[in-house]
Amino acid sequence: MTQRINYMQQSPELFKKFLDFNNQLHESAIEASIRDLVTLRASQINGCGFCVDMHVKEAHIHGERELRLHHVAIWRDSPLFSPRERAALAWAEVLTKLPEHGVPDDLYEHVRAQLSEKELSDLTFLVMAINGWNRASIAFKAVPGSADKAYGLDKANLA
């Protein structure tokens, strides 16, 4: 695959603002392990190879177990995720796919049983961000692994 354009270079001001927004999410009420799972799952749903590659490497660097990374795609059937992680993954999926009639009340109530209002709000912004990154990377055919050195992902030693 060949990248179409480098959107970061073409729109540096917008890229920087979006990156700043994304980086602010590292200070959110959502712990890193859930951020890793959610960004990986949304990227899988969207079919973003660049982002799936990136988030697997990030999660590995953060100490996530390999089997759990394999199970993210089948999280509903896997015993490896806590109720809190399941709620976050369900929220990420519904916001990534957005059903025609919005988020069902029963799903909202299920997620609210696991997350505070602040956590749910922060998680929503995280899902918004990863879906934005997915769309840019897909639109311009970002090549998986092409930014490993720039983002420090070479430290994952997964190549």
Side-chain angles (χ1 to χ4, degrees):
M1 174 172 26
T2 303
Q3 186 166 327
R4 290 178 170 156
I5 66 171
N6 185 328
Y7 65 91
M8 297 170 238
Q9 290 176 349
Q10 295 302 314
S11 304
E13 303 85 10
L14 295 173
F15 171 73
K16 183 179 180 331
K17 294 282 186 190
F18 198 51
L19 185 61
D20 289 345
F21 168 71
N22 191 79
N23 288 338
Q24 187 64 42
L25 293 166
H26 295 143
E27 305 302 319
S28 75
I30 301 300
E31 57 270 30
S33 60
I34 289 182
R35 289 195 311 265
D36 288 337
L37 298 174
V38 163
T39 54
L40 175 56
R41 184 64 188 130
S43 298
Q44 289 172 336
I45 292 167
N46 288 323
C48 183
F50 180 87
C51 294
V52 167
D53 178 80
M54 170 185 279
H55 297 302
V56 164
K57 290 171 182 170
E58 282 180 336
H60 183 76
I61 289 169
H62 296 151
E64 186 57 75
R65 295 185 335 221
E66 188 171 344
L67 184 58
R68 280 174 38 100
L69 293 175
H70 289 291
H71 279 221
V72 167
I74 58 158
W75 65 269
R76 283 184 179 81
D77 299 323
S78 174
L80 301 179
F81 301 100
S82 71
R84 180 177 170 81
E85 291 167 333
R86 290 176 182 286
L89 287 164
W91 193 251
E93 284 190 2
V94 76
L95 293 184
T96 297
K97 295 177 182 178
L98 277 180
E100 183 178 343
H101 299 290
V103 176
D105 289 338
D106 61 333
L107 177 61
Y108 172 79
E109 294 302 329
H110 171 74
V111 174
R112 272 292 289 125
Q114 295 297 323
L115 302 171
S116 71
E117 289 183 1
K118 168 73 168 138
E119 291 168 333
L120 183 56
S121 179
D122 286 0
L123 178 61
T124 300
F125 279 103
L126 175 65
V127 175
M128 290 165 50
I130 189 54
N131 278 285
W133 289 119
N134 289 164
R135 279 145 181 76
S137 293
I138 290 168
F140 300 120
K141 293 188 174 183
V143 178
S146 62
D148 282 4
K149 196 169 252 343
Y151 295 136
L153 299 174
D154 51 340
K155 294 178 185 123
N157 295 317
L158 293 176

